[in-house]
Amino acid sequence: MAQNLEDRNTATVVSETAILALVMILSLVGNLLVCFAVYRNPRLRCPSNYYIISLALSDILQALCTMPLSVAFLATGGWPFGTSLCYLSAIVKYSLAKISIYTMVLMAINRYYKIVKPAKYQTTFKKRFIIITASLVWVIFITYSIIAAFVIGSDANDDQSFALC
């Protein structure tokens, strides 16, 4: 059974908060470096790398928008930001997590066709197709998250076991 975050000793609070803060910083810096590498190196600007940029952008947004809230949650032992930010955080976190997962699926499909079906790869994975599929993943999961939060009536509550809302 998970203990409440308020019941942790100081060493646990400091170590858990520091580890998540480090993960957040490394995620932000690492993914910014990926984007910078693609920006600086023209050979990396091929359409199949658009999926990598999409994945890096979702991870950057996760590091900037939701991870700082989780760091504060761990540091304080509770959700100090109110219900509205809880809903927004839940929508953003869920959307970005799904965007990351399905972008990796698109990357896997792309690599499968590149290796196993190279003739079909050239006709299927054109720049326009890659941009459309990557964009659709973003639109679908942001829309779904908003609908789930407000129309279906999902309830946003703090989750002590995962330090998120």
Side-chain angles (χ1 to χ4, degrees):
M1 179 178 224
Q3 68 180 27
N4 285 335
L5 291 178
E6 296 96 6
D7 299 335
R8 300 172 299 158
N9 63 40
T10 305
T12 304
V13 172
V14 170
S15 62
E16 288 177 349
T17 304
I19 289 168
L20 184 57
L22 180 63
V23 168
M24 177 185 69
I25 291 165
L26 291 174
S27 174
L28 180 61
V29 171
N31 285 293
L32 284 172
L33 286 172
V34 167
C35 292
F36 184 71
V38 172
Y39 171 75
R40 293 282 295 172
N41 189 338
R43 289 187 341 224
L44 295 177
R45 291 187 216 139
C46 61
S48 63
N49 282 349
Y50 294 172
Y51 290 137
I52 292 172
I53 293 299
S54 179
L55 182 61
L57 289 175
S58 70
D59 291 346
I60 288 168
L61 288 173
Q62 194 82 271
L64 289 174
C65 299
T66 65
M67 291 176 102
L69 300 175
S70 291
V71 169
F73 194 159
L74 279 174
T76 62
W79 184 259
F81 304 110
T83 306
S84 296
L85 197 52
C86 183
Y87 270 102
L88 183 61
S89 172
I91 290 168
V92 172
K93 188 176 290 286
Y94 182 80
S95 297
L96 292 173
K98 292 295 185 182
I99 288 165
S100 290
I101 291 167
Y102 282 92
T103 299
M104 287 187 278
V105 168
L106 289 173
M107 290 167 67
I109 293 167
N110 177 278
R111 295 295 84 194
Y112 171 80
Y113 272 85
K114 178 80 172 175
I115 294 165
V116 177
K117 300 180 183 245
K120 276 189 120 177
Y121 179 83
Q122 296 301 323
T123 58
T124 305
F125 286 93
K126 296 188 181 301
K127 182 178 178 179
R128 178 181 160 97
F129 177 79
I130 291 172
I131 291 171
I132 289 171
T133 55
S135 299
L136 274 174
V137 165
W138 281 80
V139 169
I140 288 167
F141 287 106
I142 290 170
T143 304
Y144 175 78
S145 297
I146 292 169
I147 290 170
F150 296 108
V151 177
I152 298 172
S154 297
D155 195 21
N157 293 315
D158 63 329
D159 186 344
Q160 297 272 322
S161 60
F162 292 106
L164 55 85
C165 193

